Amino acid sequence: MAAEKSLAIVVRMVEFSETSLVVSLFTRDFGKIGALAKGARRPKSAFEGALDLLSVCRVVFLHKSTDALDLLTEAKLVRRFRAGARDLTRLYAGYYVAELLDELTHPGDPHPDLYDAAEQALAELDGAGSVTAVALRFEMTALRILGHMPSLSECVGCGKPVEAVGRVAFGMLEGGVLCPDCRPGKRQVVSISAEGVKTLQGFADATTEAWRGQTVHPKIWGELRGVLNHYLANLLGKKPKLHEFLGTLAE
Ligand SMILES: [Zn+2]
């Protein structure tokens, strides 16, 4: 059993016994791990209160070679997510970042770039970043890094460019926009406004930070939630818990 070190975000915590916790950590170097934190519920534990949902920690753990839980031996707090105390909206958006990390990734599949994007999203939610913009940017970034980005400019059926004018067909099962030739006969097709498609394209573009200047109009946010909630639920095979909350942000 080798002792491994990494930066990690606490994405889930479950009480294991009167004194211990089982934690899901999204680590920068090893991807998602499940670890037992013995004694973490004692007032004076080796973890010094670092294990808190959405905390960023520097952890040391013993990596088990079987599918047993890893053993967490140390966790030093780097940054606690504090926004929950002043704004529940920010807290729930933070939970959504954690839910996506937990649900979209597999144990032992590291994605340092996704870790960095998540840490940045949490810092911005904890600060003054726009909740809808930060959440949408993180969703698109996670989909891109994990190879699930829907096609937004080219028809997912034939590859022809699809111009964002009027209303654009989006195939949930195909995973992207459809040209008029490819649309007939497809199941689970919704139509998105041109503005909705352009908004998605803007937030999906990894080459620029221009999304920061983009506001998501409440009407467009509502429309995009309909599309993305459906798309993510298909991808995960279940409805993410926080989707209901995200819908309320538009109101
Ligand atoms: Zn086509």
Side-chain angles (χ1 to χ4, degrees), residues 66-214:
T66 59
D67 20 324
L69 285 170
D70 292 339
L71 190 64
L72 194 67
T73 57
E74 207 181 302
K76 290 248 181 291
L77 186 68
V78 174
R79 207 185 53 242
R80 197 183 294 285
F81 190 83
R82 297 182 182 280
R86 63 183 163 94
D87 186 343
L88 278 181
T89 301
R90 292 180 180 277
L91 180 65
Y92 284 117
Y95 287 163
Y96 184 53
V97 169
E99 186 176 25
L100 287 182
L101 290 175
D102 196 19
E103 298 288 354
L104 283 172
T105 68
H106 302 288
D109 182 21
H111 289 283
D113 43 357
L114 180 59
Y115 174 90
D116 293 343
E119 201 189 303
Q120 193 189 349
L122 289 176
E124 292 187 25
L125 290 171
D126 209 2
S130 153
V131 174
T132 49
V134 172
L136 185 56
R137 175 65 166 184
F138 180 71
E139 278 179 314
M140 299 314 277
T141 303
L143 290 174
R144 174 175 54 77
I145 291 171
L146 298 170
H148 300 301
M149 178 65 94
S151 179
L152 298 170
S153 312
E154 281 116 37
C155 172
V156 73
C158 66
K160 270 194 295 199
V162 174
E163 225 187 311
V165 287
R167 297 196 68 85
V168 179
F170 183 97
M172 289 292 164
L173 302 177
E174 284 74 21
V177 295
L178 289 161
C179 77
D181 294 337
C182 294
R183 178 179 185 159
K186 299 280 192 300
R187 290 184 307 125
Q188 295 196 31
V189 177
V190 296
S191 84
I192 316 181
S193 66
E195 199 186 341
V197 174
K198 286 179 189 154
T199 303
L200 282 182
Q201 289 169 344
F203 280 85
D205 189 347
T207 64
T208 149
E209 292 287 304
W211 64 275
R212 291 181 185 283
Q214 220 176 329

Side-chain angles (χ1 to χ4, degrees), residues 29-43:
D29 301 322
F30 304 90
K32 183 169 71 176
I33 66 164
L36 179 62
K38 281 186 184 166
R41 302 185 64 209
R42 289 205 181 97

